[in-house]
Amino acid sequence: MQTVIRSNAQEVIISPEHPTVIIGERINPTGKKRLAQALADKDMERVRRLALSQVADGAAVLDVNVGAAGIDEVELLPMAVRAVMEATDVPLCLDSANAEALRAGLEAYEGKALINSVNGEEASLARVLPLAQEYGAAVIGLCMDDDGIPSTIEGRVAVAQKIVERAASFGIPAEDVVIDCLAMSVCTDAAAGRVTLEAIRAVRETLGVNMTLGASNVSFGLPDREAINEMFIAMAMQNGMNAPIVNPTQARKGILIADLLLGLDEYAMRYVGYVRSQRK
Ligand code: THG
């Protein structure tokens, strides 16, 4: 099961047999006042800088999200996509809840994008899957629907299955659906981490698809979030999650070590190369 995404210069393969693909999360105005202001001013300098720094820190794919109060995503998502394409060669993950913004971003993008995201709601399936079909893109499927995020493992798997089946009805193969079992904070729900981890295992076993995870939600409200996120990402990787959406500065080392321990780093080449590069 290989998910292939492309820019006009690079191809990235997400597969259980390949090293884990880091999707850089930092082009996102959530919690970044200055980025939000720059986007509102249509100033793409910060976007370009965040693109370059994340690629230098090991991101193989960049998530591009311009959603913030007072920002017209239909206008800004394609602008940000063009800015990132000028700055780097990596494939992009277009992140918006607005299907018109996704269309505008796909129109500007050169390559095979990863759409972030569709979910199990009928309205979302009907708006987003035709875009993936029309543009030949891969798509992230979130394990949630009209009733929210299922609290059980079986509930999450059922939504994942529905998305994979509906995608097939649009001619989108399972290879081009990347499931996100969704992380929730263990601060307010002690079972939240385990349910996500076991849902990942169950989706891998029943559907065999590749998986992403915006892992940092798991630590919301707790101290030393980085340490919690690092451990959670490694556990999710053991269960089959292979394309985390993370801050690469924080997450790269743990991901390289987890790949090493899971047999995805022959002769420890990637790990040793990373440690050497950090010593200079
Ligand atoms: N699943 C999928 N897509 C997603 C998410 C997911 N996209 C958005 C989000 N979740 C993942 N991206 C982010 C981006 C930023 C932050 C967290 C997740 C974040 N920002 C800091 C803050 O708010 O304080 C800013 C710090 C910084 O990076 O400088 O935490 O779950 N499919």
Side-chain angles (χ1 to χ4, degrees), residues 68-97:
I71 288 173
D72 176 5
E73 288 189 61
V74 181
E75 184 184 10
L76 263 295
L77 190 59
M79 281 183 76
V81 164
R82 285 191 204 96
V84 177
M85 284 195 301
E86 283 167 24
T88 74
D89 277 339
V90 299
L92 303 185
C93 175
L94 309 188
D95 189 354
S96 177

Side-chain angles (χ1 to χ4, degrees), residues 40-85:
D41 296 340
K42 295 170 195 175
D43 171 6
M44 294 296 136
E45 193 46 42
R46 255 170 210 285
V47 168
R48 273 189 283 272
R49 280 214 305 271
L50 285 167
L52 286 167
S53 66
Q54 290 185 101
V55 171
D57 284 347
V61 175
L62 294 174
D63 189 83
V64 182
N65 182 316
V66 297
I71 288 173
D72 176 5
E73 288 189 61
V74 181
E75 184 184 10
L76 263 295
L77 190 59
M79 281 183 76
V81 164
R82 285 191 204 96
V84 177
M85 284 195 301

Side-chain angles (χ1 to χ4, degrees), residues 234 237-238 254-265 268 271:
M237 284 169 61
Q238 174 156 32
I255 290 167
L256 280 168
I257 293 172
D259 270 349
L260 174 68
L261 298 175
L262 290 169
L264 295 170
D265 187 4
Y271 175 70

Side-chain angles (χ1 to χ4, degrees), residues 130-201:
L131 290 175
Q133 177 187 37
E134 186 177 340
Y135 289 88
V139 62
I140 293 175
L142 306 182
C143 291
M144 59 181 287
D145 59 19
D146 312 67
D147 300 322
I149 302 173
S151 58
T152 65
I153 297 153
E154 303 74 42
R156 303 253 179 123
V157 176
V159 177
Q161 181 151 8
K162 177 181 181 180
I163 293 170
V164 169
E165 284 171 2
R166 197 65 67 87
S169 78
F170 282 88
I172 302 160
E175 283 83 3
D176 282 340
V177 180
V178 176
I179 291 296
D180 184 338
C181 288
L182 296 173
M184 312 258 284
S185 178
V186 291
C187 187
T188 45
D189 174 4
R194 185 182 56 80
V195 168
T196 300
L197 292 168
E198 291 188 13
I200 290 167
R201 166 73 55 182

Side-chain angles (χ1 to χ4, degrees), residues 23-33 50 54 63 65 93 95-96 115-118 140-142 178-183 212-217 220 225 229 245-247 250:
I23 304 176
E25 74 179 11
R26 302 198 66 225
I27 302 174
N28 184 326
T30 307
K32 294 197 192 78
K33 281 211 175 97
L50 285 167
Q54 290 185 101
D63 189 83
N65 182 316
C93 175
D95 189 354
S96 177
I115 296 173
N116 189 5
S117 56
V118 70
I140 293 175
L142 306 182
V178 176
I179 291 296
D180 184 338
C181 288
L182 296 173
T212 185
L213 191 67
S216 65
N217 282 345
F220 191 81
R225 295 185 62 184
N229 297 345
I245 303 178
V246 292
N247 179 338
Q250 297 171 352

